[in-house]
Amino acid sequence: MQTHELIAHTAYPPLEVTKVQSRIIGYDADWLRLRWRIEGSGKLVVPPFAGRGRADELWRTTCFELFLMPSGGDAYSELNLSPSERWNAYDFSDYRDGMTERPASREPNCTMRQGGSFAIFDAAVPASVIPKANCAMNLTCVLEEESGIKSFWALKHVKDQPDFHDPACFAAELAAPTAT
C-alpha cells in the first residue's frame, strides 16, 4: 500500500519531530489497518492508557485521525484514534456541520510502540465504521511534545490555521475494500 508523507502546519512547528508517514497497510471486509510512523519522537507526549472506549476531544493531545468523504457529496466521516486506546467516530452532513456519532459494531484496536528515535502507531478499525464507497481521504495527526508544544500534520494544509475538515485537504483516495 502507498505511504503518505504528512506535512506539519507551518503555524505550529514541532519541537523534535522531523517526519511523519502514514499508510493503509490493509483493508478487507473486516478491518482497515493503518500505520503512522513518527521520526524524532524523543519528546513525544503519549496519553496514558485509558482502555478502549469512546471519548471526545482526543485531539487535545497526541491523536491520530482519518477523514473520509464518499464520492458525490459533501458528507464525510472523522475517526479519532488515541494511543490511550480511546477512540471516536463522527459523521458530518457538510463542512463542520451536522455532527453525529458514527455507529460501530466493534471498537478499534490501537497500539503505540516507541523505539529510540521513532514511534509507530497502529490502528485496526472495524470495516463497519468505514463508508462502503470509494472515498477522498485525509490522514492526519496532532502530536504533542514536551512543554505543551503541538504540531498538526496532514496530507495537505490550505489555510493559515490547521483545518483537517477542509475538503481541499482530502488529498488521497481510499478504494472500497478487497474481498477476503
Side-chain angles (χ1 to χ4, degrees):
M1 292 272 171
Q2 186 176 6
T3 298
H4 301 278
E5 298 286 333
L6 301 188
I7 302 161
H9 195 284
T10 56
Y12 295 89
L15 180 64
E16 287 191 1
V17 173
T18 58
K19 183 178 183 180
V20 177
Q21 294 179 320
S22 184
R23 73 168 132 169
I24 307 296
I25 55 177
Y27 188 20
D28 59 31
D30 298 316
W31 297 97
L32 172 65
R33 291 174 178 79
L34 306 114
R35 172 171 288 164
W36 285 261
R37 181 182 173 103
I38 302 106
E39 298 289 340
S41 64
K43 297 194 178 198
L44 188 66
V45 174
V46 177
F49 176 77
R52 288 186 194 169
R54 287 187 184 254
D56 291 320
E57 299 187 348
L58 294 171
W59 55 269
R60 293 193 177 271
T61 186
T62 298
C63 176
F64 301 86
E65 300 178 348
L66 172 67
F67 291 80
L68 296 168
M69 180 180 289
S71 301
D74 296 323
Y76 63 98
S77 300
E78 172 186 0
L79 286 85
N80 299 156
L81 305 158
S82 172
S84 71
E85 288 195 357
R86 295 292 182 181
W87 67 280
N88 218 330
Y90 308 96
D91 284 327
F92 293 84
S93 58
D94 203 343
Y95 173 74
R96 292 189 177 272
D97 190 43
M99 185 175 93
T100 59
E101 203 168 79
R102 185 168 181 81
S105 61
R106 297 183 271 189
E107 295 189 284
N109 295 320
C110 300
T111 59
M112 182 90 169
R113 298 184 309 274
Q114 291 185 277
S117 64
F118 70 93
I120 293 177
F121 179 77
D122 284 329
V125 178
S128 63
V129 178
I130 307 301
K132 300 298 180 227
N134 291 342
C135 295
M137 174 175 68
N138 191 9
L139 293 157
T140 72
C141 62
V142 176
L143 299 179
E144 182 177 358
E145 295 179 87
E146 292 177 4
S147 301
I149 295 172
K150 290 183 191 165
S151 54
F152 299 83
W153 299 75
L155 293 173
K156 185 177 182 182
H157 298 283
V158 294
K159 296 182 178 176
D160 291 342
Q161 293 296 312
D163 185 359
F164 298 158
H165 293 254
D166 191 310
C169 299
F170 289 55
E173 299 266 334
L174 178 67
T178 57
T180 54

